[in-house]
């Protein structure tokens, strides 16, 4: 008890760095683009698996939201990349496969929740050492 927790912004920044590190270790490239202006549908992020692994994140999102989007796209990388090919991609965006796509999205969301939890724990224990206890 009494540990000094980081303020929201600082926490988000450190969590984001944790996620960037997670991506870098797996050789995943990152790109920022004003996705919502480019894509017709409301996309916050995108994971592309081809010769390289690439995650595109909407430039305009607030940092806390970027954390979730990045964690979610990393979920697609961890859980789905081995199934991803042109046929998969075509099915993914077809109307007939909406419920299947929703299931895959839910899987990526669940992964994101777990990864963010572990990022938070790691960040808090890392920073806890640097702070004096407050009473
Ligand atoms: Zn997704």
């Amino acid at each position: 008890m009494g540990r000094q927790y980081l303020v929201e912004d600082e926490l988000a920044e450190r969590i984001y760095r944790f996620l960037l590190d997670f991506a870098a270790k797996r050789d995943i490239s990152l790109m920022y683009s004003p996705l919502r202006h480019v894509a017709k549908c409301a996309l916050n992020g995108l994971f592309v698996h081809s010769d390289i692994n690439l995650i595109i994140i909407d430039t305009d999102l607030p940092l806390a939201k970027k954390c979730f989007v990045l964690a979610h796209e990393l979920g697609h990388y961890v859980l789905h990349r081995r199934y991803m090919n042109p046929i998969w991609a075509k099915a993914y965006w077809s109307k007939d496969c909406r419920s299947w796509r929703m299931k895959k999205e839910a899987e990526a969301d669940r992964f994101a929740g777990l990864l963010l939890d572990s990022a938070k724990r790691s960040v808090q224990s890392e920073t806890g050492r640097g702070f004096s206890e407050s009473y």
Side-chain angles (χ1 to χ4, degrees), residues 6 9 15 18 20 24 52 59 71 76 80 87 98 101 104 113 116-117 121-122 125:
L6 294 164
D9 283 356
I15 287 172
F18 177 100
L20 288 179
I52 59 158
T59 321
H76 284 307
H80 304 141
I87 298 164
R98 192 168 182 276
R101 183 173 72 237
K104 297 289 138 192
L116 287 172
D117 278 349
R121 271 197 303 276
S122 157
S125 68

Side-chain angles (χ1 to χ4, degrees), residues 19-32:
L19 297 172
L20 288 179
D21 191 50
F22 186 100
K25 279 181 183 146
R26 285 154 187 84
D27 221 13
I28 301 167
S29 302
L30 240 88
M31 229 183 86
Y32 298 90

Side-chain angles (χ1 to χ4, degrees), residues 85-101:
N85 58 38
I87 298 164
W88 198 92
K90 201 177 165 199
Y92 207 78
W93 299 108
S94 89
K95 282 197 184 88
D96 305 335
C97 300
R98 192 168 182 276
S99 66
W100 172 71
R101 183 173 72 237

Side-chain angles (χ1 to χ4, degrees), residues 56-119:
I56 307 170
I57 293 178
D58 191 339
T59 321
D60 301 325
L61 294 175
L63 189 58
K65 182 80 182 163
K66 278 193 180 115
C67 286
F68 185 82
V69 172
L70 179 51
H72 171 99
E73 301 305 336
L74 288 170
H76 284 307
Y77 167 84
V78 171
L79 302 169
H80 304 141
R81 75 176 185 284
R82 55 188 163 278
Y83 311 110
M84 291 172 84
N85 58 38
I87 298 164
W88 198 92
K90 201 177 165 199
Y92 207 78
W93 299 108
S94 89
K95 282 197 184 88
D96 305 335
C97 300
R98 192 168 182 276
S99 66
W100 172 71
R101 183 173 72 237
M102 289 296 119
K103 212 176 122 208
K104 297 289 138 192
E105 288 305 306
E107 286 171 9
D109 278 349
R110 208 155 47 233
F111 179 92
L114 295 171
L115 185 59
L116 287 172
D117 278 349
S118 110

